[in-house]
Amino acid sequence: TLNFFNMAHGVAYMLGAYFSYVFRILLGLDLTLSITLSTLLTAMAMVVVDRIGYFHLRKVKAPSWGLVVSSIGVAIFFESLISMIFGSDTRILRTGEAAPGYSIFGAIITPVQIWILVISGFLMLVLSIYLKKTLIGKALRATSNDTEMATIVGINTESIYSSTFALGSALAGIAGSLVALETDVFPTMGHGALLKSIVASIIGGV
């Protein structure tokens, strides 16, 4: 929809994990509430990033590589900021004893991994319904397909861009929080997720 590959998308993944760490470990809130709050804060933070880092570039019709370079700067800034605040040490989001895994066809699957699969499947279903059945979802698809025509028919493309950033960042934040329960929290954790998203985009078709 935004017509560029956001190299700072891994930041949303990382922020989701760190926000969950703050709410769950430092403040002692319930895990579900912690992930919910971290998801909302991640979406809000990345919408602000969009307004500061990308909005003006869109207004002057900067080439997509200009947006990519800007997103790299955003990623470096946030990783450095998190390192300054929390340090570079790995933080642990899990609490309590580690539950034993289940052996499925010779592979050991942990309860956290099962929850990740279940929640991911549910979110995929909700996202599909959102994009295909709701008015704003159809507006998002129309903007992605042809921005100029979407503007002509009365769609506020800037609001669509903001909602897209919020939605994508929220999903990344949830992913970061869930995976952090399995692999812990560290400033560069978004790199691996970003690499996987690049592979998924290429295979699935940009």
Side-chain angles (χ1 to χ4, degrees), residues 18 22 78-88 91:
Y18 270 95
V22 169
F78 273 98
E79 285 181 13
S80 301
L81 180 64
I82 289 296
S83 295
M84 287 174 55
I85 297 173
F86 295 96
S88 298
R91 306 283 174 162

Side-chain angles (χ1 to χ4, degrees), residues 2 10 31 50 52 57 100 114-116 147 158 168:
L2 295 164
L31 178 60
D50 173 53
I52 296 174
L57 293 175
I114 292 174
W115 273 111
I116 290 173
T147 304
E158 275 304 324

Side-chain angles (χ1 to χ4, degrees), residues 19-101:
F19 280 136
S20 289
Y21 170 78
V22 169
F23 289 124
R24 176 61 174 159
I25 303 301
L26 300 186
L27 299 181
L29 300 182
D30 175 74
L31 178 60
T32 302
L33 178 60
S34 298
I35 293 178
T36 301
L37 291 174
S38 72
T39 300
L40 293 173
L41 280 179
T42 299
M44 291 169 59
M46 296 310 291
V47 168
V48 171
V49 167
D50 173 53
R51 303 305 292 183
I52 296 174
Y54 310 131
F55 175 73
H56 179 68
L57 293 175
R58 286 199 299 269
K59 283 297 183 182
V60 299
K61 298 187 184 302
S64 59
W65 62 263
L67 291 161
V68 172
V69 171
S70 180
S71 69
I72 293 173
V74 170
I76 294 172
F77 170 79
F78 273 98
E79 285 181 13
S80 301
L81 180 64
I82 289 296
S83 295
M84 287 174 55
I85 297 173
F86 295 96
S88 298
D89 296 335
T90 298
R91 306 283 174 162
I92 298 176
L93 183 57
R94 300 185 306 274
T95 57
E97 296 183 2

